[in-house]
Amino acid sequence: MLAIFQAAGWPIWLLLIASIIAVALIVERLIYLRREKILPKGLLDEVIRVYRAGKVTPEVVDKLEENSPLGAVLASALRNVDAPRDVMKESIEEAGRGVAHGLERFLTTLGTIASLAPLMGLFGTVVGMIEIFGAQSPTGGNNPAQLAHGISVALYNTGFGLAIAMPALVFYRHFRALVDSFIVEMELQAVKFVDVVHGTRK
């Protein structure tokens, strides 16, 4: 493996750093963006039961807020449970924006790596081409070792750049779609709770 990195030249180290960051972000998001952690099953029903039982206290609301992102949105609704419907929905939307920001954490970085990796590979290719042209001597001959090294730099960097970009782009798209689905589901559950509070739904 070290021999490959040496053959690929110094530009490959930039790609190696990018790949390590991408893998770390993908693993972190896979662990964090789990449905049971973001949208705990039965949480809305439990909140409705607590509300109808008249057991809403500051301690209960604080505990709910720390439970999950959905809990944070519902906790915002509970804090404004005596407010008019519009005020309650506005507080939910504000909480939802904060939760969405947390769910989208690191996705911009992952998307940047997916876009930048091919360009970094192209940069390595250009460096390799420069070495190839540098292998040409004034008399028209060339240095075979330097020529071979230039070709290695060009091809390895192109290959590594694409190898990093493809999975990074796939996971970026996957996480974006996942976050969007979570946000929609949270909005639906929050609206259902608002309807329950204001008597339009049983």
Side-chain angles (χ1 to χ4, degrees):
M1 184 63 74
L2 184 59
I4 292 176
F5 287 132
Q6 289 174 340
W10 64 266
I12 199 68
W13 295 104
L14 300 175
L15 286 166
L16 180 62
I17 293 170
S19 68
I20 292 171
I21 294 172
V23 169
L25 295 181
I26 288 169
V27 171
E28 191 276 339
R29 289 290 87 184
L30 283 173
I31 293 172
Y32 183 79
L33 294 175
R34 290 174 295 163
R35 177 167 289 274
E36 62 272 15
K37 185 174 180 179
I38 306 300
L39 303 167
K41 192 174 181 180
L43 182 61
L44 176 61
D45 294 335
E46 181 64 26
V47 170
I48 291 173
R49 279 196 297 271
V50 170
Y51 166 72
R52 285 178 171 165
K55 297 179 180 177
V56 178
T57 63
E59 292 76 18
V60 169
V61 174
D62 290 341
K63 186 176 179 181
L64 177 63
E65 187 173 28
E66 296 171 2
N67 176 272
S68 63
L70 174 60
V73 173
L74 294 177
S76 177
L78 281 177
R79 286 196 179 95
N80 295 275
V81 78
D82 296 323
R85 181 187 179 91
D86 292 342
V87 174
M88 194 175 178
K89 288 189 72 173
E90 186 177 336
S91 69
I92 287 172
E93 290 172 0
E94 289 175 359
R97 282 193 289 270
V99 167
H101 181 72
L103 295 178
E104 293 170 353
R105 187 180 176 205
F106 300 135
L107 292 190
T108 300
T109 305
L110 186 59
T112 300
I113 290 174
S115 301
L116 195 59
L119 296 177
M120 294 168 70
L122 180 60
F123 173 71
T125 302
V126 172
V127 171
M129 296 300 292
I130 291 172
E131 290 196 15
I132 290 173
F133 287 116
Q136 302 292 323
S137 67
T139 58
N142 54 49
N143 182 338
Q146 192 175 354
L147 186 63
H149 180 67
I151 293 172
S152 295
V153 171
L155 295 180
Y156 275 127
N157 280 278
T158 302
F160 272 99
L162 294 174
I164 294 168
M166 288 186 288
L169 183 59
V170 167
F171 277 104
Y172 171 74
R173 297 282 189 185
H174 168 69
F175 291 142
R176 287 294 318 176
L178 200 59
V179 167
D180 289 343
S181 70
F182 287 157
I183 291 172
V184 169
E185 182 65 25
M186 278 189 284
E187 287 176 353
L188 291 174
Q189 294 200 35
V191 168
K192 182 178 180 181
F193 181 66
V194 172
D195 290 343
V196 168
V197 170
H198 288 275
T200 56
R201 195 181 289 193
K202 296 183 180 179

